[in-house]
Amino acid sequence: QVQLVESGGDFVQSGGSLRLSCAASGFAFSQFSMSWYRQPPGKERELVATITRAGASTTYADSVKGRFTISRDNAKKTVYLQMTSLKPEDTAVYYCNADGLTYYIRRVYWGQGTQVTVSS
């Protein structure tokens, strides 16, 4: 079955760095664009970064530009989010998202989330 398993969330001090990973299985990973979303406490889920199927193009939320980097390894079926210069406002549950077509039908998959907490 389809699985997206995030890892790498942790408690870190302001200014620190973390690398999140999302391991995918059960679908054609290289045919899906991949994104990271986050949901801060008491707030709506928001898009953080997206990477296209071959990794040629990336987009970022204004709040993380220059600090976060999304990448993917299609051979390992894994997407990453390198986070640097972390701020307390980056505290959130981070979710991996896959969006693509399977047999011409759009599919959207979500991981279970990983907690990132940044202390001031």
Side-chain angles (χ1 to χ4, degrees), residues 26 37-38 40 51 55 59 61 65 70 72 79 81 92 106-107:
Y37 285 74
R38 67 185 182 187
I51 188 166
T59 56
K65 278 181 183 176
I70 187 171
R72 65 190 295 163
V79 62
L81 186 68
R106 185 186 181 198
R107 306 289 187 185

Side-chain angles (χ1 to χ4, degrees), residues 15-65:
S17 299
L18 282 175
R19 188 196 198 200
L20 305 183
S21 299
C22 172
S25 61
F27 65 99
F29 180 79
S30 64
Q31 299 305 306
F32 281 63
S33 63
M34 298 298 297
S35 299
W36 286 95
Y37 285 74
R38 67 185 182 187
Q39 187 164 17
K43 297 185 178 180
E44 298 287 318
R45 191 174 297 190
E46 60 186 14
L47 177 62
V48 174
T50 299
I51 188 166
T52 53
R53 292 177 295 176
S57 178
T58 57
T59 56
Y60 297 91
D62 287 343
S63 59
V64 306
K65 278 181 183 176

Side-chain angles (χ1 to χ4, degrees), residues 2 12 18-19 25 34 47 54 57 63 67-68 70 75-76 84-85 89-90 93 99 101 117:
V2 172
V12 64
L18 282 175
R19 188 196 198 200
S25 61
M34 298 298 297
L47 177 62
S57 178
S63 59
R67 299 188 299 121
F68 290 11
I70 187 171
K76 294 183 178 179
T84 62
S85 301
E89 51 264 44
D90 295 318
V93 178
D99 190 335
L101 297 176
T117 303

